Structures are given as C-alpha cells and as structure tokens.
Amino acid sequence: KRSNLMVIMAGGLGTRLLPHTEKCPKPMLPVAGKPMLEHIINHAKAEGFRRFIISVQYLEHVVKEYFGHGERLDVSIEYLKESMPLGTAGGLSLLSPRPETPFIVTNGDVLSDIKYGELLDFHLRHCASATMTVQPHEWQHPFGVVQTDGVEIVGVEEKPIWRTHINAGIYALSPNTLDFISENVHIDMPSLFEALKMQGERLVAYPMHEPWLDVGNPEDLQRARASYERDG
C-alpha cells in the first residue's frame, strides 16, 4: 500500500463533448459500464493507492452522489470544490492540509494503464519537484517537404514522420510546488511547470509506453468504449 495522495481533476465543463456532458460531467461518462473516474480509481487502487481527492465544480453533485466517500470501492475519497473552473493545476491551491509527501495528479478524462507507483518512484529517484508523464507521438506530413536556402533547393524529404513527446496529463508533484499556485487563480499544468522552471526547480519527464487515451471529443469517447469492450 502507498500512503501517498492521488488528486483527480474533474471540474472541467467538457464542452467539446456536448451533448454528452449536458447532464453529466465528462469524467463521469460511462466506459464499459463504469464512469471514467471509476476506472482511474480502480487502476490506482490496484497500484496500492487508497487516498483520493477529487477536484469538482461542474455538476459536482453527480460525482459526489456516485462515489460518496469511497466506501463502496474500499478507498477514501474527499473533494475540493472549485468556486469557478481553475484549470488543471489551480484546484491544488485548495488542498488543506497540504500533502507532506509527493503526490500524483491526473486529469479525470485520461484513461491509461500507466503504473502510478512506478511514476512516483521515478519522481523520488530523480529528486524532482515536478514530473510530467510524456507519451511518444508520431505525425506524418501529408506532403513532400522541401528545404531551401534562398531560392536554392538543398533537400527534399517525401512525407517525413515527425516524432515528438506529448503531455499525457498525469503528474507527480512534490509539496513545494504548491507554493507556486495562488488560491482560486486559474492555472494549467504547463503554466505551473513554466513557473517552476523559471525558479530553477528540477523538472523531469517520465516516458510512458502503456496504452493511453485522452478523452477530449466524441471520437475519443467512442474509441475508449470500443477498446474497453474489446478487452473485456
């Protein structure tokens, strides 16, 4: 078991998933018969996590009525109430008391087989203030790319593949990072990482290769449902 806290950000409006989110907050949308939030909590529970805080705002009663304080899932669940949408990091300013040990933060619409425990161990091993999980991403240019020097052609590459890392929406943070978040001020995680970088804090990237899906639009939701149904 791990005593570390896990915070799930579930206060967003989910406007890109309308009309699915008219009466249901995005993290509560069902996938294989369970809300996405329940899949996240069950997966973290299997990794040894038992303490959860869910940051809520939009249609908060739907989340609270379903999960209560976690008795049904044999975990402990508390809630942060955002007075307004505070972004993917702003809700952390409401943590009281502040965690004394590093903790996990995940977006409530990210479904993944990531090993949360390994992420936390990686964060501690590298003595980081903040760790961001990153996912390899490839994108193939639909056209041939021409390199020029003035009017001279110096190279031609036919439909090159660009390889990058993208933010996977799952983080490990040390308690000192909360000093960089003002109470009830909207801030997203990339902005928090930028503020930490400017102050010389150690930031590291955790490369993950497990299946991962950010459910941001109806097509993503359909893919998630198909994947979970296929895997049973």
Side-chain angles (χ1 to χ4, degrees), residues 1-2 4-6 8 37-38 40-54 66-79:
K1 291 185 177 180
R2 294 180 180 266
N4 305 78
L5 181 67
M6 182 170 184
I8 306 175
L37 264 179
E38 187 168 356
I40 293 172
I41 291 172
N42 282 337
H43 182 55
K45 177 184 172 182
E47 290 277 305
F49 291 85
R50 289 295 187 275
R51 297 174 55 221
F52 298 88
I53 290 182
I54 303 177
Y66 185 89
F67 288 105
H69 290 287
E71 300 89 348
R72 180 173 57 84
L73 299 179
D74 192 27
V75 298
S76 170
I77 297 177
E78 298 179 16
Y79 299 91

Side-chain angles (χ1 to χ4, degrees), residues 9-73:
M9 311 306 288
L13 298 176
T15 52
R16 289 186 297 159
L17 269 163
L18 288 170
H20 300 282
T21 51
E22 284 182 348
K23 298 181 180 180
C24 180
K26 179 166 61 170
M28 293 298 293
L29 291 174
V31 171
K34 297 179 181 178
M36 289 190 285
L37 264 179
E38 187 168 356
H39 287 289
I40 293 172
I41 291 172
N42 282 337
H43 182 55
K45 177 184 172 182
E47 290 277 305
F49 291 85
R50 289 295 187 275
R51 297 174 55 221
F52 298 88
I53 290 182
I54 303 177
S55 182
V56 294
Q57 198 268 334
Y58 176 65
L59 296 176
E60 61 174 296
H61 68 279
V62 177
V63 180
K64 292 180 176 179
E65 290 172 4
Y66 185 89
F67 288 105
H69 290 287
E71 300 89 348
R72 180 173 57 84
L73 299 179

Side-chain angles (χ1 to χ4, degrees), residues 85-150:
L86 294 176
T88 51
L92 300 177
S93 68
L94 305 177
L95 287 173
S96 181
R98 285 189 173 191
E100 296 182 355
T101 57
F103 56 99
I104 299 293
V105 181
T106 181
N107 293 343
D109 57 356
V110 171
L111 295 174
S112 172
D113 290 340
I114 185 174
K115 303 297 185 183
Y116 294 113
E118 291 182 8
L119 166 61
L120 188 61
D121 292 341
F122 180 91
H123 174 82
L124 292 168
R125 187 164 62 250
H126 287 274
C127 301
S129 288
T131 299
M132 177 187 294
T133 60
V134 295
Q135 181 84 356
H137 180 73
E138 293 185 352
W139 180 78
Q140 185 167 22
H141 202 295
F143 305 102
V145 175
V146 181
Q147 293 92 36
T148 60
D149 182 5

